[in-house]
């Protein structure tokens, strides 16, 4: 397989000064890596002509392909076209077609915004001689492609949505043409919950050994760890075979900790299973404070199975909203197996749902004691037949992380029940 | 004021391949900018010796100061010390003190983890000749400082928590010593809600004009827009004066859209006001699906004023949990001023709180119609004296963004009421 040396250049003072975190470069790098193109360096410079020209010339000496973002807008700070022309030693010239397009856009959209086409927008129709225009169907700034030194540069907007569209529609096909070996690539995401990233890494580290077309990557999206399989082969079938082989091996290593193959998140997985069962769900949240409801309702169509969550932060609310008896609260306290049992059963009965889940715990920073340190959470799952109750402990000291871990534990308890799996090994089951 | 040319180098295959978004570089850049040190370029290279040495030499020719992250760990891929030695043309040498420290660490912590000090960890005690060790009190990998070319490099771990600690405690004081003019810097964050970033930018763009020690920055943290004032002066009083002047001008421009000076988020601002009033709050959420509760409870100590949220997604839940009459739901539907009025009043009565707020709307992608398009939300605020009801429309097509906008509108309605301000101009008030 030939190797193409790629680099990425992000431009803009908002990036060099740290006002904005650059997520474009990681996105573009991942897309290039998936095509088998290896990214050797990322560079970021501000809106400064000398720095831009220097960076372009420098990359032009080293790389075969470069992706550039930013600097295509109408303002004084937008210098990409001029810098590219300087670095390539050519002039800027007016692209009549682009000008007509920008004018038409302003006639239709600009008038509604009370804006007229000014000299500044006209600037966006000037490109370096010899460049190829890249149309932008979702914004006002067209991009362009130009050779500087030995490198083919693709200049794209800095707005992520516009960059992604231009990259997919116009840049990737052009880079594919540059690849001598036509190979096909694919990617599959396997989502796991319950093990730290380092442990997941140890368990899967040799999966790609002896498989030249397979590469693995780990991505932590707290508290979920994703394992990504990247595959390259001569045919679509070959890619699928590699992805399937990798998936089998990973499932064998990570077992019940895998909750989805293909990238669905926990709330989608749980939602789909509830939908399949024509089951409904009610939630009673104390320490998780609406996090479970927030996740569940972020899935379009969740109203088919999600009926309600009672975020009963105060004990009085646990009584009035969920019919938890004052006796239970007085005797056991808010964070206890008996209390979450009553909460889950109360939620299920009041909302007349198939299932009820509940949480009560100590998210911190205050409120912990020796018996129930910060990180302790009790979780109950009420089903038509029985109520299951567990206690977990999270090793994370931070409130935000604890809330996410607690909420994910509750959804994972439900997920495992719906799939007929045993509860997670890190849960302590409660038998009254 | 002298200018120091700074650059940032991030290392690691996880960054060049796009598996991880680099947020360290933006953080470090912001810290440098606050000191008045301007960051001219960011570079990222993978765990490759040639690429690392080339990048270090290249930066060593251009910059005065460079911050480097990553590559200090115990694995084969961690090449920073060796690459630095090569770029500087010196050997690596064992630092006995660092070795003793790493050994002690492994005796106390490693044993619990079932790990022994191996050859790989011993590697972390080797540094380039002439370098100054930077201790790492929160991790196993010490950093170091070394001159390569004309540039002073500071090598820090890639783990954000470890990098931040080392930067603050050991790197920033050393860079401050390099600055000839001892000036003092400060920063203040002003949070606004209700105007798009471009509009905020237009309103404040000339605030720093004619103020040599003042710089402004905008940061969008959807749906909040922050205006940051950066100040530099010879004295602490001078810095305060600049920050106060900037604040006054910005408040004058942005008026009631400013909800905090100093960086507090909306839920903290609302929480503090409720606490001051010794007031309590109940929430009734439909379309926001727990987002309001989630935000409110992310503030430690929120149990003092937040009693509960009823996330009543289904209409039946609005009846059973909030006593909304079936007649109201049948006549007006879920998304209507009369319905949210009944929800807010129901929540307030059931939870016996001072205030009740409620939301019901169309977050999308489905569920919209001509009368109530996607982006429509009705919001009510029930107070001891009266109930106020509004309708908003959000121009964002996406579900996630709509949920955040809807939830923020509800908190902003409460914030303005608590501050005795009129409702936002983009709300349509409902009078039955």
């Amino acid at each position: 397989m030939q190797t193409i040396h790629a680099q990425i250049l992000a431009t803009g003072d908002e990036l060099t000064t740290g006002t904005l975190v650059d997520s474009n470069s990681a996105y573009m790098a991942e897309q290039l890596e998936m095509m088998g193109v290896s990214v050797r360096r990322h560079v970021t410079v501000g809106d400064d002509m000398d720095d831009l020209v220097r960076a372009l010339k420098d990359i032009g000496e080293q790389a075969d392909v470069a992706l550039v973002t930013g600097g295509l807008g109408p303002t004084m700070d937008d210098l990409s076209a001029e810098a590219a022309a300087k670095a390539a030693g050519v002039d800027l010239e007016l692209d009549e077609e682009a000008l007509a397009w920008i004018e038409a856009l302003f006639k239709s959209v600009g008038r509604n915004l009370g804006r007229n086409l000014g000299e500044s927008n006209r600037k966006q129709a000037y490109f370096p001689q010899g460049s190829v225009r890249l149309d932008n169907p979702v914004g006002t700034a067209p991009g362009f492609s130009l050779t500087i030194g030995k490198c083919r540069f693709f200049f794209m907007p800095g707005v992520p949505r516009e960059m992604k569209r231009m990259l997919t529609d116009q840049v990737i096909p052009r880079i594919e043409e540059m690849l001598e070996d036509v190979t096909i690539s694919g990617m599959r995401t396997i989502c796991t919950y319950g093990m730290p990233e380092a442990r997941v890494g140890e368990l899967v580290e040799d999966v790609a050994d002896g498989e030249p077309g397979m590469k693995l990557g780990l991505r932590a999206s707290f508290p979920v760890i994703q394992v990504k399989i990247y595959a390259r082969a001569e045919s679509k079938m070959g890619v699928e075979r590699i992805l399937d082989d990798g998936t089998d091996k990973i499932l064998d290593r990570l077992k019940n900790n895998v909750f989805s193959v293909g990238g669905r998140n926990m709330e989608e997985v749980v939602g789909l299973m509830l939908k399949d069962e024509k089951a409904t769900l009610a939630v009673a949240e104390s320490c998780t404070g609406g996090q479970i409801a927030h996740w569940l309702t972020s899935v379009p169509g969740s109203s088919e199975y999600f009926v309600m969550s009672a975020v009963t932060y105060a004990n009085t609310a646990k009584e009035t909203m969920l019919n938890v008896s004052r006796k239970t609260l007085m005797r056991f306290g808010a964070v206890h197996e008996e209390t979450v049992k009553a909460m889950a059963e109360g939620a299920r009965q009041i909302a007349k749902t198939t299932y009820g889940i509940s949480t009560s715990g100590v998210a911190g920073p205050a409120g912990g004691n020796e018996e129930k340190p910060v990180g302790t959470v009790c979780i109950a799952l009420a089903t038509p037949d029985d109520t299951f109750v567990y206690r977990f402990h999270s090793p994370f000291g931070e409130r935000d992380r604890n809330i996410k871990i607690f909420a994910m534990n509750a959804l994972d308890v439900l997920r495992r029940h719906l799939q007929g799996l045993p509860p997670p090994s890190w849960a302590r089951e409660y038998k009254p």
Side-chain angles (χ1 to χ4, degrees), chain A:
Chain A
M1 214 179 289
Q2 107 257 38
T3 54
I4 284 200
H5 174 155
Q7 295 200 16
I8 289 172
L9 174 64
T11 71
D13 284 348
E14 70 282 9
L15 300 177
T16 46
T17 58
T19 307
L20 194 72
V21 172
D22 172 26
S23 58
N24 280 344
S25 294
Y27 179 86
M28 295 188 296
E30 194 171 35
Q31 298 296 311
L32 289 173
E33 292 283 336
M34 274 180 59
M35 298 169 66
V37 172
S38 99
V39 179
R40 291 277 290 277
R41 193 170 68 139
H42 301 209
V43 177
T44 307
V45 292
D47 302 312
D48 177 279
M49 185 58 76
D50 293 342
D51 288 346
L52 280 164
V53 173
R54 182 176 194 156
L56 291 169
K57 283 186 172 170
D58 184 34
I59 294 169
E61 283 170 18
Q62 297 179 19
D64 304 308
V65 163
L67 304 185
V68 186
T69 52
L72 298 179
T75 77
M76 294 281 294
D77 291 340
D78 292 301
L79 302 172
S80 287
E82 202 183 330
K86 282 193 178 161
V90 299
D91 286 330
L92 287 172
E93 63 184 9
L94 179 66
D95 180 330
E96 296 285 355
E97 217 175 281
L99 184 64
W101 184 79
I102 294 170
E103 280 174 348
L105 188 76
F106 268 79
K107 266 193 197 131
S108 70
V109 180
R111 192 170 292 164
N112 296 334
L113 299 170
R115 284 162 62 191
N116 290 311
L117 181 71
E119 206 41 56
S120 56
N121 286 100
R122 205 177 300 271
K123 168 171 172 279
Q124 295 177 290
Y126 283 84
F127 300 96
Q129 278 172 350
S131 62
V132 176
R133 190 182 72 236
L134 305 172
D135 288 328
N136 181 350
V138 290
T140 64
F144 62 94
S145 158
L146 178 71
T147 299
I148 302 172
K150 70 181 185 77
C151 176
R152 190 75 191 163
F153 283 78
F154 295 92
F155 291 83
M156 291 175 277
V159 179
R161 198 172 58 103
E162 299 179 22
M163 176 278 288
K164 287 177 186 176
R165 179 75 180 267
M166 196 177 283
L167 182 68
T168 305
D169 290 358
Q170 304 193 62
V171 177
I172 285 176
R174 285 179 166 88
I175 296 174
E176 272 170 351
E177 282 172 17
M178 295 166 67
L179 298 169
E180 283 161 27
D181 306 336
V182 181
T183 59
I184 293 168
S185 65
M187 197 251 284
R188 191 175 290 168
T189 301
I190 295 176
C191 296
T192 79
Y193 176 66
M195 290 189 298
E197 184 175 3
R199 181 73 188 133
V200 175
E202 279 170 29
L203 287 170
V204 302
E205 67 181 351
D206 61 344
V207 162
D209 288 0
E211 296 273 4
M214 194 194 297
K215 259 179 75 176
L216 290 192
L218 284 194
R219 182 175 288 197
S221 170
F222 187 86
V224 164
I225 310 293
Q226 298 181 338
V227 185
K228 297 198 169 205
I229 314 174
Y230 302 96
R232 288 193 69 74
E234 311 252 311
S235 67
K236 210 168 149 51
M237 261 184 59
V239 167
E240 285 301 309
R241 191 196 53 76
I242 294 171
L243 293 176
D244 289 345
D245 280 1
T247 304
D248 287 349
K249 280 191 197 164
I250 290 166
L251 283 172
D252 188 53
R253 307 286 173 86
L254 305 181
K255 303 203 161 59
N256 297 344
N257 297 308
V258 172
F259 65 79
S260 80
V261 173
R264 281 208 178 87
N265 62 29
M266 182 68 89
E267 50 273 25
E268 288 170 322
V269 168
V270 167
L272 281 172
M273 288 193 290
L274 290 170
K275 226 188 231 169
D276 278 355
E277 269 199 19
K278 297 196 196 321
T280 52
L281 175 65
V283 184
E285 305 187 56
S286 184
C287 57
T288 51
Q291 175 75 70
I292 298 175
H294 174 52
W295 276 341
L296 287 168
T297 58
S298 70
V299 181
S302 45
S303 57
E304 277 185 55
Y305 46 84
F306 174 64
V307 174
M308 70 99 186
S309 174
V311 183
T312 52
Y313 220 51
N315 275 350
T316 54
K318 293 181 182 73
E319 289 179 46
T320 51
M321 307 294 291
L322 295 167
N323 296 336
V324 177
S325 77
R326 183 162 301 181
K327 223 177 86 190
T328 300
L329 286 165
M330 295 288 280
R331 183 162 162 207
F332 298 106
V335 182
H336 191 278
E337 284 86 345
E338 289 291 343
T339 305
V340 288
K341 183 169 183 286
M343 287 169 67
E345 290 171 353
R348 182 176 170 273
Q349 275 156 20
I350 291 164
K352 300 191 178 60
T353 53
T354 324
Y355 299 104
I357 54 175
S358 65
T359 62
S360 188
V362 189
N369 58 40
E370 203 160 309
E371 191 203 348
K372 293 163 192 169
V374 169
T376 304
V377 65
C378 295
I379 287 171
L381 165 64
T383 74
D385 306 314
D386 206 352
T387 299
F388 304 93
V389 190
Y390 308 96
R391 182 178 292 221
F392 294 82
H393 187 75
S394 148
F396 299 98
E398 297 152 38
R399 180 180 179 81
D400 287 2
R401 295 193 155 216
N402 280 334
I403 289 174
K404 287 205 169 77
I405 286 271
F406 295 173
M408 194 60 82
N409 278 338
L411 290 178
D412 198 38
V413 161
L414 177 59
R415 192 262 307 179
R416 286 167 181 261
H417 178 82
L418 292 171
Q419 292 185 329
L421 300 171
S425 59
W426 56 95
R428 197 173 86 200
E429 192 159 1
Y430 175 74
K431 302 279 183 194

